[in-house]
Amino acid sequence: MKNILIVEDDKGLREGMALALKREEFSFTLCGTLEEAEKYLAGRPDLELILLDLNLPDGSGYDFLQKVKRRSDIPIIIITANDMELDEVRGLELGADDYIVKPFSLMVLRARIDKVLKSAGKDEKKVYCFGDLFFSFGEMKFFRGEEEIVLSRTEQKLLWLLVENKNIVLTRDQLLDRIWTDGAEYVDENALSVAVNRLRTKLREGADGHLQTVYGKGYIWKCQKT
């Protein structure tokens, strides 16, 4: 089911949009303020799309747009009464995927949503959340809470392989073969241990964290199965 967040201070409009757009594959979360929306996003929800008003009682939707786009690739459609060309240009330049001016046709809104979701799906960008860890491999951005984590290319490859194969043990040989693909004839096995330790340090992962050693075999990214 595709989860859509509607951030709109007009209660009747946001509830009306959710009702009119209701489909079996859509679920909706409704927020009337930026504070509510930010608290919801802090929980790292599995979110497909945001419908965002610009004029909200506790701030500007532009600021919220920038914050979300710095942290993720969640598609955002601006829905606003601001009909000036400069407003639309600003929204698109800040990363909005579409811009719709009120009043609008619900048929047009449905079509715009379908188009944006279809376009986002083509990229197949991988985003993962594990507690306060957030990984966007499409943009190569990694966070613990609000703190961005800077990873080397080797650490990025290692993390990707482990996360993409979560709950599966990857042997040392498998990781060595798939990380160091630059044609080198020999790679010191100690290089993998060093990379794992550096990654753990940067992620602040303890012995019982997600990145675990399976002695005599290799490593696993352990997480609760859903």
Side-chain angles (χ1 to χ4, degrees):
M1 181 172 288
K2 294 181 174 65
N3 187 14
I4 296 177
L5 172 64
I6 300 178
V7 187
E8 164 63 59
D9 64 325
D10 186 322
K11 181 180 179 182
L13 179 56
R14 65 176 180 265
E15 291 181 350
M17 283 195 291
L19 183 62
L21 295 168
K22 187 176 181 181
R23 302 180 189 172
E24 290 184 0
E25 72 270 25
F26 287 166
S27 65
F28 296 91
T29 299
L30 310 182
C31 294
T33 65
L34 292 176
E35 182 181 6
E36 290 176 6
E38 289 173 357
K39 285 182 179 178
Y40 177 70
L41 287 177
R44 303 294 189 196
D46 183 10
L47 197 60
E48 298 288 338
L49 176 69
I50 298 174
L51 302 180
L52 174 65
D53 187 16
L54 290 179
N55 303 312
L56 293 153
D58 56 344
S60 168
Y62 287 124
D63 296 333
F64 181 79
L65 170 64
Q66 284 184 292
K67 179 179 289 188
V68 173
K69 287 297 184 178
R70 279 198 300 266
R71 297 285 302 274
S72 75
D73 52 11
I74 298 170
I76 297 178
I77 298 177
I78 291 175
I79 299 178
T80 178
N82 296 7
D83 59 357
M84 298 294 290
E85 188 175 275
L86 288 176
D87 291 322
E88 181 174 356
V89 170
R90 183 184 178 193
L92 295 172
E93 286 181 342
L94 291 176
D97 297 83
D98 205 344
Y99 191 102
I100 300 176
V101 176
K102 302 174 184 176
F104 53 84
S105 160
L106 287 171
M107 186 178 294
V108 170
L109 178 58
R110 287 193 201 98
R112 297 284 189 91
I113 288 173
D114 288 342
K115 182 178 179 180
V116 167
L117 290 176
K118 184 177 179 181
S119 177
K122 288 179 181 178
D123 294 337
E124 294 185 349
K125 295 179 179 178
K126 298 290 186 177
V127 175
Y128 294 92
C129 301
F130 304 97
D132 62 349
L133 291 172
F134 173 83
F135 308 143
S136 175
F137 289 97
E139 298 178 316
M140 288 303 174
K141 290 185 178 180
F142 311 93
F143 290 86
R144 174 178 281 280
E146 295 295 323
E147 179 187 354
E148 184 166 8
I149 303 167
V150 179
L151 301 180
S152 69
R153 184 172 299 180
T154 296
E155 291 158 356
Q156 290 172 8
K157 286 183 179 181
L158 173 60
L159 183 60
W160 165 253
L161 288 169
L162 291 166
V163 169
E164 183 70 0
N165 295 281
K166 57 184 180 293
N167 295 319
I168 298 173
V169 176
L170 296 180
T171 68
R172 292 182 63 86
D173 286 341
Q174 285 176 321
L175 291 169
L176 285 167
D177 289 341
R178 295 177 66 180
I179 294 173
W180 283 273
T181 56
D182 56 1
E185 293 184 5
Y186 174 75
V187 177
D188 188 342
E189 284 197 10
N190 189 52
L192 178 58
S193 299
V194 171
V196 169
N197 288 335
R198 286 179 176 171
L199 181 58
R200 278 189 177 133
T201 298
K202 291 184 178 182
L203 298 179
R204 299 208 294 273
E205 282 272 299
D208 297 325
H210 295 290
L211 205 175
Q212 297 182 13
T213 301
V214 181
Y215 292 98
K217 293 184 178 180
Y219 301 94
I220 185 172
W221 186 267
K222 196 79 172 177
C223 65
Q224 183 176 357
K225 294 183 179 180
T226 57

